[in-house]
Amino acid sequence: MITLNDFMLVSAMLFCLGLFIIVSKKNAIQILIGIELMLNAAILNLVAFGKYDRINNSGQMFALFAIVLAAATTAVALAIILNVYRRYKTINPDKINQLKD
Amino acid sequence: MSLIQVLFYLMSFVTLGSAVLVAVGKNLVRSIFMFFITLFGLAGLYVLALADFVAVTQIVIYVGGILVLILFAFMLSGKESLEAAGKQTNRFISLGNVPAFLLSGLFLVVLLNVVLKVDVNNLPWVKTAIHAHNVIGVNDTGINNIGINLMTRYLLPFEAISVLLMIALVGAAHLSRKEDSRV
């Protein structure tokens, strides 16, 4: 039988992989992928705990809200990345060192 | 070992393995497609946690929406970003990656410690839920209940999130428009 522990272990490992990607990568899009991995680890925990709430569905509901919020953030972040690329001709976050011209 | 356990280990292996490949991948396009496989594995895990509607939403929104957006942004941002991605040292443990590796490794140790010590299966509210038969069964259709809850109990967050989604999309369109020359 799969218990809550197993889901939490998988989610913890996924979260740490996302953290590793965010800290080590030199490309804004890869960092965005790392953020998505961490969000998905959190959503996995919500869904796993949501099994024990059949009447209110709170876990699954907040998982749905988190997915929609992730979509909105990604759209804005990608627009910002495209703007940064247009201005600096690079999307390496280490080389971007000013907020305005 | 029952079939559901085999499926669980298979799904978590696919998810974690492709996430590791995202982390070590040299080619950025390949790592984006590995992320695609990670999302599918996560959808499988959601199904195993008896949340089929969330799994479908995951596939529709993440795989159909976000991944295509990421691919578009990558293809639109030209050759230099590809070269920058290829130039970095991509071994899992190299000198430049030691701080990142240390940070995430220590974080993993802390998280695993917490998960193994806290004994989540015997939490008070989980026990009361099991006692009151408030657990989603294998044969339940959860979608009806989700729809009813969305229109009654969670109506306010639903409306708030729809307004926020519209604001975010208008903001994204505003950010990514062509700049006029006088700025």
Side-chain angles (χ1 to χ4, degrees), chain B residues 143-162:
Chain B
I143 298 178
N144 301 341
N145 203 11
I146 285 178
I148 290 169
N149 272 328
L150 205 57
M151 281 295 123
T152 54
R153 183 179 290 270
Y154 300 105
L155 190 58
L156 181 65
F158 185 72
E159 292 295 331
I161 217 168
S162 65

Side-chain angles (χ1 to χ4, degrees), chain A residues 25 27 36 51 54 83 85, chain B residues 23 28 62 77 134 145 175:
Chain A
K25 292 295 181 187
N27 189 317
E36 298 294 324
K51 188 182 167 189
R54 189 180 63 177
N83 251 2
Y85 177 73
Chain B
L28 211 158
Y62 262 107
S77 65
N134 194 7
N145 203 11
L175 273 176

Side-chain angles (χ1 to χ4, degrees), chain B residues 104-151:
Chain B
S104 52
L106 289 177
F107 213 89
L108 183 66
V109 168
V110 170
L111 277 182
L112 291 187
N113 229 348
V114 168
V115 169
L116 293 178
K117 285 236 174 80
V118 81
D119 194 19
V120 269
N121 292 306
N122 294 321
L123 286 178
W125 72 270
V126 171
K127 275 194 159 172
T128 34
I130 293 173
H131 190 68
H133 298 291
N134 194 7
V135 184
I136 298 177
V138 183
N139 291 321
D140 287 353
T141 50
I143 298 178
N144 301 341
N145 203 11
I146 285 178
I148 290 169
N149 272 328
L150 205 57
M151 281 295 123

Side-chain angles (χ1 to χ4, degrees), chain A residues 73-90:
Chain A
T73 15
T74 313
V76 175
L78 285 173
I80 291 174
I81 287 174
L82 280 182
N83 251 2
V84 163
Y85 177 73
R86 195 180 296 149
R87 187 160 297 175
Y88 293 96
K89 294 291 165 209
T90 177

